[in-house]
Every structure is written in C-alpha cells, then in structure tokens.
Amino acid sequence: MRPEALPAAAVAATVAAPPSAAAPPESPEPPERLAAAQAWAALLAGMPHAAWVVALADGRVAAANPAAAALFGRPLAALEGAPAESLAAAPEDLLWWEAAVGGDTRPLHSDTVIVAGDGGALHVSRSIGVLPAPGGGPPRHALVVVCDRSAAQQAEEEREALVAELQATLEATADGILVTDLGGRIRGFNRRFAEIWGLPPELLQQRDDAAVQTWMARSVDDAADAPGYERRLQSLMQAALVSASDRLQLHSGQTLERVTRPLHHAGRPQGRVWSFRDLTARIEAEERAQALTWHDALTGLPNRQRLNQALDEALAAGRGRGQGFALLVIGLDRFHQINDSLGHDVGDRALLDVARRIQGCLRQGDLLARLGGDQFALLVQPADAAAAETTARRVLNVVAQPCSLDGAQFTVTCSIGIALAPAHASRGDLLARHAEGAMRAVKAAGRANFRLHQASAEVDRRQQMRLDHAMRQALVSGRFRLHYQPQVDMASGRVVAAEALLRWRDPELGEVPPSRFIPVAEDTGFIVAIGEWVLSQAVRQAALWQQQGQALPIAVNVSALQFQQAGFVDQVARALALSGLPARLLELELTESILVRDADEALARLHALARLGLRLSIDDFGTGYSSLAYLKRFPIGRLKIDRSFVQGLPGDDSDAGIVRAILQMARALGMKVVAEGVESEAQREFLQLAGCDEFQGFLFAPALDVPGFEQRLGHVDARPLPPRPRVRLVRN
C-alpha cells in the first residue's frame, strides 16, 4: 500500500481517544468540544500528510493538523468546525458521509480532486475511516487523510504524452518497427510492421509472441535467403551489443531491409529495436531504370550501349576461340514517309512490327539491337562473310513483306551494311562505324540491298572529313579566291562577259581543284556558305570594274542547295545593294536539277529573281533532266553547252548532233547559247557555223586572277554591252 494513501484505520491506534480526555457527551458543550479538538490536534500534528478528524454526529471538523491548513490555505481555527463536505466534495465523499449517518462506515480509499487554497484543482489520494470509540462503543469520529499527488500526476501525464508522441512517431514512419526484450518476447510494434509482414488481425489480438515469430519465419523465402533466417536471427539475439542490417526476401515477392540495434536502459541492455523497410518498389524502379539504360524504350530491344558491350564481349571471346562474327547495321528505307503521312503512332507500331519480323528469322545466340530512329543492328556470331550475307538476305526478305496498319497498306524495305570481325576491325566502335558506312553506301546506290564494308570507301570518307574541315578553315582564313574566265562573242571575238570560278590553295593539301572539293561541299551543305561568299565577292569585283569604265556582266554559279534556301532571293538583292552593281550586270548560272525539284517553287523563285533585273542561265545544259516544258515556263535567257559535248567536235557525230539540237531548240525558245570548254579553232568554227552565240575556254583564255584578267581584257577591247535578250515570263 502506498504511504500517501495511508488509510485512516491504520492510524486509529495513535489517534484513539486521548487518555487525558474523557469521551465527549452526545452534545458536548463548546468548552468540552474545544478540549477534544485540542487533544485530537496534538495527535494529528505528528502526521506527515494533511489530516483532520470529523465528528460523525454533525459532520463537522473536530480537529485538523497544520498540513491540512497549509493544503487549503486556511488557519487551523477556520478548519475546525467546518463541514466535512466543504473540504472534499467529490460525489463519492458526499455519498460516504451520507452513508455514515446511516451507520455504513466502510473505509473509502481513492484518488480524487480537491480545491486547494489558491483555488486550483489539486490531485490527491484520500482515505476516510472511522476511529474506534473508547470502551468499544459505536464510533463517533472519522479520520480523513489526504496525500498530495500533484507531482506524481504531472509526471504521469508527461509520461503519457511522451508515450503518445512516441507512438504517433512510430505510426507515422514508413518503416515497420518491432521492439523485443532480451528473450525475444515482443514488447511493442507499430501498424506498419503488421502491414509489411501481412500479420492477420486475429494473430495481433492474441498477443501470442511465438505465433508472430513463427509467421515471420514462414514468410521468409529460404531459397532466396541463403544464410538462413533463423540462424541469423539467433546470432543477432545472442549479440546484445551488435547493430546489423541485412535483406530478407519474402514468399510474397517483397524485399525487406532489416536493421536492428540494441535497446539500453540505465546502461544495461534491455532488448532490441528492429526496423523493417519494404524495398520492393525501389528495387523495381532501379530494375526499370537499369533496363532503360541497356534497352530501347519503344521496342524493348538492347540499345546502342548494350550492343557496344556485346561487341566487346564478342571480340574478347573471339580472340580466345579464334572465331569471327558479323555486325549488320539495318536502316529502313524512306521510313520518314510513314511518319509524315500516317503519323508517328503508326510509325512506332511499324518499328515494332519490323523488330518482331527480324527477331523471328534469327538464330539462337544472335543479338538484335535498336540504334535509334529507323536503324537496327544485328550481331551474328559465329559468322563469316557467307553466313552474314545469308542472314542479310533473310532480313531483307522478312522486312519487305507487306504491312497493314489502321487500314493502310504499305511496304518497308531496308538497306544493310555488313562489317566482319576481326577482318574489318578489332574494336567494337570501328566495326559499328564500318557497318554504318556500308549501309549508307547501299542507300546511296539505290537502297533495298546489302553490302560488305570496303576499306577504300572508309579511306574516302576520312579524306572527305579532312577536306570538309580544311574547307571550313579556308573560308575563315581567307584562302579561297576567285578567278574569272572571259566569255567571248563568237562573231566579233570581243569579251562580252566573265564567269567567276572558285579556286583554293591549302597550305597542306596544295592546289585543290573544284572538281574535288565542290562535291564534298555539296554533300556536307557547306556549299551554301561558299556560294554566299562567291556571290558577294563577284558582284563587288564587277561593281569595281564598272566604276573603272568596264561594264562587264559577271556570271556566278549557284548550287541547287543554295538556290533552295528560303532567303536566297533576299540574299542576292542584298549583295547587289551593298555593292552598287546594276542587276543587269549579274547572271546566275543554275543547274538543271533546280528546274525539276519542286518545279512550282522553283518557278516562283526564278520569277522573283527575274524581277530584280538580273540574267538567268542553265549551266552544263544537256547533262541533266531538263525538258522543253520546263524551259518554256521558266524565265531563262541563256543555255551553256557542257564541255563534254564540245570536246568531240567537230569529228564526233553524236556530239555534233547533240550540239546542233541544242542550238536549234535555243533559237526556237529565243535563248542565247554559250559553249564551254572550247580549246581549238576547229571547235570554234563548228560552233560559229552552227549558230552558237558565245564561247569560253582555253582557246581564248583560262580562268585568270584579277590582274591577269584585266591585262587580258586590255589587249582586247570590250565592246559595249549588247541589248539584254528579251525574256518572255510565262505565267500559269
């Protein structure tokens, strides 16, 4: 029993009627009552807790001790004679005093709340018991003992708040928490622990530690948990000071991270705290990320990174076994047309269909990867050239089977480049590059076929890369220059115009002929920048000659790619404006391919150029795809006969026939004709007799630099500019 809850009966012996005081009468006189109070007070004063004696006859306080006075904040005199209900008025107090009047004086022991001297509520433990009367008569007094338990109550409330906070924290965490004692018995857990382990509610309600431990042990996948769940659990329980972490694989497919730390109190081990974290979602996400790292998101095939790894592995294995293998790079032909016409969704489904078809014709051990876009790669091992070509034929056949998606029927073909290891390369990146180069060569040659890598083609590509880089440096460094070849009137022999021709001397490559670098510039698109530079330099030089009194038209070659640029017409107008050259002194020489590639757009652009007032001609006429229909529609003023038709004149009958046909057609269309590459007087005479208007070539002069051209021009008087040929602008 708590000392603060000491019952009144326990002190009955010490507070029985004092020997010096006789039993008070039924209705004592005040002096006698006072004497009795003084006697009780002497005995109560030695008690450590607040206490007072109540006369059962009238329910008033007969005596109280100083502790009671301090508790209520009143003097002792104010307590004596006060009603007992005024000091402790809980319902159970009132019931006790009411029952005591009827003779029911059973002791009362409980915790209650009283009003302290400061008016605040005070938590106390209170005991009420009757005091035996002298001589064994009926009890006349009751003893009330009150112990202040406010500090204990506050500590208890703080503990409860702390426990509630701790429980809320445990419930809020994503980890499952389990607390056990040193014997492995469960002391506590949170709901997340039960959720992770899938503990049935009835098992939790039973509070059966052994059943819970058995459930956990049975949930662990022993096959996946090689060290053994039970053995590791026992070793952890026996090592009271050890912290550890490991992973558990459950039969449900979950992967748990288990972390355990010792639980100490007052410096001594009390048990263990276990935390269980469900890693299943994180591991699945990591696996998906890993899969995306090595696989294509659309098709699920290995990607370029995985292919590179496979190539390195195959090369290493091949060196050990002395076996070779083949890499096929597969590029779908004109696949962009499917995306453009049917949409990217159909395009993606077509890619999936192609991947499925190719996989269906592979051998075991072959690896199909998607490089990106419409390109795939196929690793065939072991394989020689014959096996690689056989595989390529199978792929060509299955890819070319008709497709039907969303009601649209179409056929997809592919081009395949093949590189062999170790014959063509002993490194994976070089092998892939060779195969891609061979695939591009197939596309350039007409598509829907396959080709083995050729070392000479690789050398050519390297030279082209070197040449492309050198060209770009030459333009920045000012190494390009223009030469001018005179165009001579056939009848008078006077210089009537000049063609600007590009020349380039490189410090390392030496003099590079246009026939070598112009095709590379056109292939890389750098011809646009070169063409813009040539145009600006040529019109500037022509403007300078005009200022010097030589109004000489300048012809400038325009590539098809340069002509197709959206701002080309504005570029020409801007060059004329900046130089101050009259538009009639500029002639643009166009290729025949310009006329047949998007003819309507070309027609609009040619009319826009004609409105500027400049001249337009067709260069190298007869080598392209021009037709009378196009020439009739376009505002073209001159045709230039290609040198390939001139060099056989006058002896070659076919060349002579072609030249006569061109001249007759030009006269019918009202166009002038210039012959290129005239190197002999016999050629010139034939052309003059056939009706050719002008010529240029070594017979008169090669292309000359500016000083040489001016010197040559000074020896031959340039006649006044002839009237500009009348050009009919035919509108649709």
Side-chain angles (χ1 to χ4, degrees):
M1 181 178 294
R2 302 196 307 266
E4 60 270 21
L6 184 67
V11 296
T14 59
V15 297
S20 60
E26 291 292 333
S27 299
E29 294 295 327
E32 296 176 353
R33 183 183 182 92
L34 180 60
Q38 292 174 348
W40 292 116
L43 294 173
L44 295 173
M47 298 181 66
H49 302 296
W52 56 91
V53 176
V54 178
L56 295 176
D58 58 5
R60 294 183 176 274
V61 176
N65 64 358
L71 180 67
F72 292 105
R74 305 181 193 177
L76 283 175
L79 293 180
E80 294 171 359
E85 294 89 339
S86 66
L87 301 183
E92 53 189 352
D93 292 281
L94 299 178
L95 289 174
W96 195 92
W97 294 116
E98 183 179 347
V101 173
D104 184 359
T105 58
R106 287 175 294 181
L108 173 64
H109 311 292
S110 66
D111 293 337
T112 186
V113 177
I114 64 174
V115 179
D118 58 1
L122 190 66
H123 292 272
V124 298
S125 293
R126 177 255 300 110
S127 298
I128 304 177
V130 296
L131 298 174
R140 298 180 180 179
H141 297 85
L143 176 64
V144 181
V145 179
V146 173
C147 176
D148 184 358
R149 55 181 303 275
S150 298
Q153 178 68 22
Q154 182 178 358
E156 183 177 352
E157 291 176 352
E158 291 176 352
R159 282 195 299 272
E160 291 177 352
L162 183 61
V163 170
E165 292 174 1
L166 178 60
Q167 188 66 30
T169 302
L170 293 178
E171 295 298 344
T173 183
D175 296 343
I177 305 297
L178 173 67
V179 182
T180 61
D181 61 15
L182 291 176
R185 291 176 292 274
I186 296 176
R187 299 292 301 278
F189 57 86
N190 63 356
R191 283 193 297 270
R192 182 59 179 156
F193 166 76
E195 292 173 358
I196 289 177
W197 285 92
L199 294 170
E202 58 272 14
L203 192 62
L204 298 176
Q205 294 170 1
Q206 294 172 4
R207 308 292 292 182
D208 188 338
D209 293 358
V212 172
Q213 297 285 9
T214 301
W215 177 278
M216 295 173 64
R218 289 177 178 174
S219 299
V220 176
D221 187 350
D222 293 331
D225 187 23
Y229 173 79
E230 289 289 351
R231 188 167 67 253
R232 283 189 293 162
L233 182 63
Q234 290 301 322
S235 64
L236 289 172
M237 295 298 297
Q238 293 171 6
L241 300 179
V242 173
S243 297
S245 65
D246 58 359
R247 288 190 177 186
L248 304 175
Q249 191 70 35
L250 305 188
H251 288 296
S252 62
Q254 295 172 273
T255 301
L256 304 184
E257 180 185 43
R258 176 174 61 179
V259 178
T260 178
R261 291 183 175 84
L263 177 64
H264 293 86
H265 178 69
R268 300 179 61 184
Q270 299 294 316
R272 280 193 168 275
V273 177
W274 309 78
S275 67
F276 300 91
R277 178 170 296 179
D278 191 347
L279 302 179
T280 309
R282 191 181 81 184
I283 291 175
E284 291 176 352
E286 291 174 351
E287 290 175 349
R288 287 194 297 270
Q290 184 70 10
L292 291 175
T293 302
W294 296 101
H295 292 80
D296 174 57
L298 174 63
T299 63
L301 294 174
N303 58 13
R304 186 184 291 271
Q305 185 174 353
R306 176 66 185 96
L307 175 67
N308 292 338
Q309 184 185 55
L311 287 174
D312 293 339
E313 294 170 354
L315 287 167
R319 284 190 289 267
R321 296 194 299 264
Q323 292 181 335
F325 63 90
L327 177 65
L328 283 66
V329 172
I330 306 164
L332 303 185
D333 298 330
R334 300 185 178 91
F335 189 77
H336 65 89
Q337 294 179 353
I338 297 177
N339 287 328
D340 295 343
S341 59
L342 301 179
H344 287 276
D345 180 61
V346 174
D348 289 346
R349 290 162 58 191
L351 287 172
L352 289 170
D353 184 55
V354 168
R356 178 186 56 78
R357 295 184 187 193
I358 298 176
Q359 283 181 306
C361 71
L362 302 184
R363 307 174 307 176
Q364 185 176 4
D366 295 344
L367 175 69
L368 178 64
R370 185 186 180 207
L371 302 181
D374 57 9
Q375 287 190 10
F376 297 85
L378 178 57
L379 177 61
V380 183
Q381 56 179 336
D384 55 12
E389 291 178 359
T390 299
T391 302
R393 291 189 182 94
R394 288 203 307 269
V395 173
L396 287 171
N397 181 59
V398 298
V399 171
Q401 298 300 313
C403 296
S404 179
L405 294 173
D406 288 350
Q409 295 185 349
F410 53 89
T411 299
V412 178
T413 62
C414 64
S415 300
I416 303 175
I418 305 172
L420 302 176
H424 294 152
S426 58
R427 281 176 26 205
D429 57 339
L430 287 178
L431 200 68
R433 194 172 73 192
H434 293 338
E436 289 182 11
M439 183 270 294
R440 287 193 296 270
V442 175
K443 285 183 176 288
R447 302 179 177 85
N449 208 336
F450 67 86
R451 177 179 294 185
L452 282 170
H453 163 70
Q454 297 177 0
S456 59
E458 176 66 18
V459 173
D460 291 343
R461 282 194 294 271
R462 290 184 180 180
Q463 291 177 347
Q464 287 183 359
M465 290 178 59
R466 180 185 179 190
L467 199 60
D468 177 61
H469 177 71
M471 276 192 303
R472 297 175 188 274
Q473 297 302 313
L475 185 60
V476 174
S477 304
R479 297 192 185 109
F480 284 121
R481 64 191 189 280
L482 289 184
H483 282 190
Y484 300 89
Q485 187 173 40
Q487 294 178 346
V488 183
D489 179 71
M490 192 72 72
S492 66
R494 294 182 178 180
V495 176
V496 293
E499 180 181 2
L501 298 172
L502 185 62
R503 297 292 182 263
W504 171 29
R505 173 178 288 278
D506 187 80
E508 297 181 4
L509 302 176
E511 193 72 33
V512 186
S515 59
R516 181 181 174 192
F517 69 81
I518 291 297
V520 176
E522 290 178 338
D523 184 58
T524 61
F526 192 58
I527 191 67
V528 175
I530 292 178
E532 185 174 355
W533 181 85
V534 170
L535 177 65
S536 64
Q537 295 297 314
V539 297
R540 188 178 304 166
Q541 182 61 55
L544 182 60
W545 282 334
Q546 184 199 26
Q547 294 171 7
Q548 296 172 355
Q550 298 287 350
L552 197 66
I554 295 294
V556 176
N557 289 279
V558 177
S559 71
L561 186 60
Q562 183 183 5
F563 180 80
Q564 292 164 8
Q565 300 302 304
F568 176 68
V569 176
D570 293 336
Q571 176 190 331
V572 173
R574 185 167 54 252
L576 291 171
L578 291 175
S579 65
L581 181 70
R584 61 188 179 84
L585 296 182
L586 174 63
E587 177 176 278
L588 298 183
E589 295 187 359
L590 311 173
T591 62
E592 291 182 77
S593 61
I594 292 175
L595 307 183
V596 296
R597 185 178 302 173
D598 197 348
D600 291 337
E601 182 179 351
L603 179 62
R605 194 160 296 172
L606 288 172
H607 280 302
L609 291 170
R611 284 194 293 271
L612 294 177
L614 50 80
R615 303 195 298 182
L616 299 172
S617 64
I618 300 297
D619 191 21
D620 300 333
F621 186 78
T623 61
Y625 307 96
S626 296
S627 69
L628 289 174
Y630 287 127
L631 293 176
K632 183 179 178 181
R633 294 174 61 194
F634 295 149
I636 303 299
R638 299 206 304 174
L639 301 180
K640 297 189 71 175
I641 302 176
D642 186 69
R643 67 181 64 247
S644 62
F645 302 128
V646 174
Q647 62 185 3
L649 298 178
D652 191 302
D653 292 340
S654 61
D655 286 347
I658 292 173
V659 169
R660 288 192 183 99
I662 293 174
L663 291 169
Q664 290 175 2
M665 181 185 66
R667 282 195 296 270
L669 295 174
M671 297 180 182
K672 284 188 173 293
V673 179
V674 181
E676 296 181 302
V678 177
E679 299 180 357
S680 68
E681 182 61 27
Q683 293 171 341
R684 190 197 69 78
E685 288 179 356
F686 176 88
L687 290 167
Q688 184 177 11
L689 292 174
C692 185
D693 300 293
E694 300 167 7
F695 76 94
Q696 65 186 82
F698 281 20
L699 176 63
F700 184 84
L704 304 168
D705 59 12
V706 172
F709 184 87
E710 291 177 345
Q711 184 179 8
R712 180 66 171 161
L713 192 62
H715 288 264
V716 180
D717 294 334
R719 72 175 190 178
L721 185 68
R724 179 169 174 255
R726 189 172 183 181
V727 178
R728 294 184 295 110
L729 302 183
V730 180
R731 301 185 180 275
N732 292 335

